[in-house]
Amino acid sequence: MRPTLAVSVFARGLAGSLLVACTAAAQARVIDLNVLALDWARGRYLSPVICQTGDELTRGGRRLLITPGPRHATPPLGRILFSDLEVPGATRCFDELGSEQPNVVGQLEFRHLGRSRPDSAQRDLKAALRRDKGFSFRVASGKLRIQVVGAPEARTVDFRGGDVRLHGIAPGSDDARLLGDLVGLRKLLLELEAPDGTRLRLPVVMTELR
């Protein structure tokens, strides 16, 4: 009887473990507006920048990547990565309108805190895009190293608790003109604001889905 009892206990334990695993997997597959908003934001982006080195002007772009964050985060997270402009010797970087463009390096993790209703997720997504042309996110963690190009020192800004906004650009606006010659899948305005008031405002074009 003991071996039979042991096998029975083991079987019940295994069944319980499988049930927990299946339940967790089912929960992980729940698609709500928070998931869809992050999926909508994902991609490779480019923001135009002009840098001056001596008497020479070089037109280039700031590269950004928005990807999924840690796999098991609840609510789900997205991650935005800023790459170094890589302009050694440059004394200034700016956009076509003359606004200064700092070098920004680092990454942030952010999430959308909207309605969590899988049954209406697609409708909520379409409604949000019609109304707001994009989404606002809350920064969960991350710091960015921000340096005025040509300045000797950079400062590190903690964006935890700050905001990330990604939304459409109005036709005919200055931002639309800045992106006028760039070809991409989607043209958007990326705005970031840290709790200390630091702000970054970047017109971007999505060059590739991720």
Side-chain angles (χ1 to χ4, degrees):
M1 290 297 292
R2 289 183 180 175
T4 303
L5 178 60
V7 170
S8 176
V9 171
F10 172 77
R12 286 199 300 270
L14 179 60
S17 298
L18 289 173
L19 178 60
V20 171
C22 290
T23 301
Q27 291 174 343
R29 289 195 299 269
V30 170
I31 305 299
D32 61 11
L33 179 61
N34 299 323
V35 172
L36 294 181
L38 291 173
D39 283 345
W40 175 85
R42 288 169 57 180
R44 291 185 181 276
Y45 293 88
L46 182 72
S47 184
V49 178
I50 302 170
C51 290
Q52 181 174 358
T53 306
D55 295 328
E56 183 179 346
L57 295 180
T58 303
R59 282 176 166 78
R62 184 193 310 279
R63 298 189 179 277
L64 304 94
L65 177 64
I66 298 180
T67 67
R71 232 171 156 181
H72 303 295
T74 305
L77 287 168
R79 178 180 289 145
I80 180 169
L81 297 95
F82 289 81
S83 298
D84 195 315
L85 285 176
E86 297 182 351
V87 283
T91 55
R92 184 185 174 213
C93 287
F94 52 95
D95 61 26
E96 291 281 358
L97 300 178
S99 298
E100 296 290 334
Q101 291 295 317
N103 195 11
V104 181
V105 181
Q107 67 178 38
L108 306 175
E109 291 182 346
F110 59 91
R111 55 171 47 102
H112 183 261
L113 300 176
R115 299 174 64 188
S116 183
R117 289 189 54 184
D119 60 320
S120 64
Q122 290 291 345
R123 292 196 303 274
D124 293 340
L125 176 73
K126 292 176 182 177
L129 291 177
R130 281 196 304 269
R131 182 181 65 249
D132 304 321
K133 312 302 181 188
F135 292 96
S136 295
F137 305 91
R138 180 58 51 84
V139 178
S141 64
K143 298 178 181 180
L144 296 179
R145 182 176 179 272
I146 302 175
Q147 181 175 19
V148 175
V149 175
E153 296 181 355
R155 63 192 182 101
T156 299
V157 179
D158 190 344
F159 276 79
R160 182 184 180 92
D163 297 304
V164 174
R165 292 180 290 274
L166 192 62
H167 52 85
I169 290 174
S173 64
D174 287 343
D175 295 317
R177 287 193 287 274
L178 284 173
L179 299 177
D181 295 334
L182 297 178
V183 177
L185 303 173
R186 189 185 294 160
K187 294 180 180 181
L188 301 166
L189 180 63
L190 173 66
E191 297 178 291
L192 297 94
E193 184 171 356
D196 71 353
T198 298
R199 296 182 181 181
L200 294 172
R201 189 178 185 281
L202 304 171
V204 297
V205 57
M206 179 188 282
T207 60
E208 181 183 346
L209 292 170
R210 292 289 295 177

